[in-house]
Amino acid sequence: NQRDYQGALDQYQKARSLAPTEAGPLLGLGDVYFKMEQWDKAIENYDNALRINPDDGLGRRRMEAARTIRSSGGVIPADLIYEKLSNRVRTRDLGEPDLPGEGVALRKILFPTNKYSLGDIDPQSLRQLEELAKALKRLAQEGQVRFRIEGHTDERGEEAYNQRLSERRAYAVRDFLAS
C-alpha cells in the first residue's frame, strides 16, 4: 500500500534527521524503496549507509540485489531467488512450520481484471515466473521443495467470484511452475 510505504519513509527520514551518523535509517529507507521497486533510490540509500558502515555485509548484499534486479528490468533473476531460498532452507529444519512473515516475496504476477490465464499477464510478470521456475527446478534437484502460491483479486465483484478467480490464478501459476 502506497500510504504504508509513505508512512515508513516518513519515519525513516525522521530517524535519519535524529541520528545522521547512523546507518540503520538509511538501510530502512533502502528497504522501503526496494519494496516499492524504486531501485535507484534503494541503491542510493544502501550506498550512503555503507559509507557510514562499510563492513555491513547485509547492507552490501541488499545493494547488490537491488543493482541486479534493476539491471534485469525489475525481474528478480533465478540465481538471486535460488540464493535466497537455499539459504533459508539450509538454516531451518524441514519439518519446522513457517512463521508469519517468513516467506520469500517475489514481484507480483499481475493479471488483468477478471482474467486468470497466463497468456493475459504482462511480459515482465511472465519473465518473473520463468526465473522462479528455474530457481525452483534447481532447488528440487537438491531435495524437497515446498512453497505456497497465493492468488488475489481487487475488491470489485462478489466475494465468491473473487475467491474462485484467485484460485484460478494460483492454479495457473502452479501449473506453469510444475511444467
Side-chain angles (χ1 to χ4, degrees):
N1 181 321
Q2 288 303 110
R3 194 172 351 169
D4 294 339
Y5 289 139
Q6 189 56 53
L9 290 171
D10 292 343
Q11 290 298 314
Y12 282 121
Q13 292 285 10
K14 183 177 179 181
R16 176 77 177 122
S17 69
L18 294 172
T21 61
E22 295 292 323
L26 289 164
L27 291 170
L29 285 165
D31 290 346
V32 175
Y33 285 122
F34 191 104
K35 289 184 179 291
M36 295 172 70
E37 298 183 5
Q38 292 186 20
W39 311 118
D40 291 334
K41 289 182 179 181
I43 292 164
E44 176 185 348
N45 281 281
Y46 291 143
D47 188 51
N48 288 335
L50 288 168
R51 290 174 204 262
I52 294 170
N53 184 4
D55 297 326
D56 186 334
L58 180 58
R60 190 161 309 286
R61 286 192 303 275
R62 289 174 178 172
M63 184 172 66
E64 290 307 316
R67 283 183 174 155
T68 300
I69 296 166
R70 180 185 63 184
S71 70
S72 61
V75 172
I76 303 170
D79 288 343
L80 197 57
I81 298 168
Y82 171 81
E83 177 185 335
K84 177 75 171 171
L85 292 174
S86 64
N87 286 338
R88 183 169 177 262
V89 169
R90 276 193 278 264
T91 59
R92 298 174 36 134
D93 293 329
L94 288 178
E96 187 179 340
D98 287 341
L99 299 173
E102 198 177 54
V104 176
L106 298 176
R107 180 185 186 282
K108 293 178 182 177
I109 307 302
L110 300 176
F111 289 81
T113 302
N114 294 322
K115 302 288 185 178
Y116 59 89
S117 167
L118 292 183
D120 294 321
I121 65 173
D122 65 277
Q124 191 174 25
S125 291
L126 184 57
R127 283 185 38 231
Q128 185 61 78
L129 277 178
E130 290 167 346
E131 293 299 306
L132 176 59
K134 289 178 199 174
L136 291 175
K137 285 180 177 142
R138 189 170 164 197
L139 282 166
Q141 293 170 348
E142 298 173 4
Q144 182 179 358
V145 176
R146 292 182 324 149
F147 57 94
R148 180 175 64 210
I149 299 168
E150 296 178 357
H152 298 277
T153 64
D154 56 27
E155 294 182 1
R156 291 179 253 178
E158 298 291 323
E159 186 175 332
Y161 173 80
N162 284 341
Q163 178 63 37
R164 184 69 184 128
L165 182 59
S166 294
E167 291 169 1
R168 287 179 170 168
R169 289 174 173 177
Y171 294 150
V173 169
R174 177 202 63 195
D175 293 345
F176 177 84
L177 295 174
S179 65

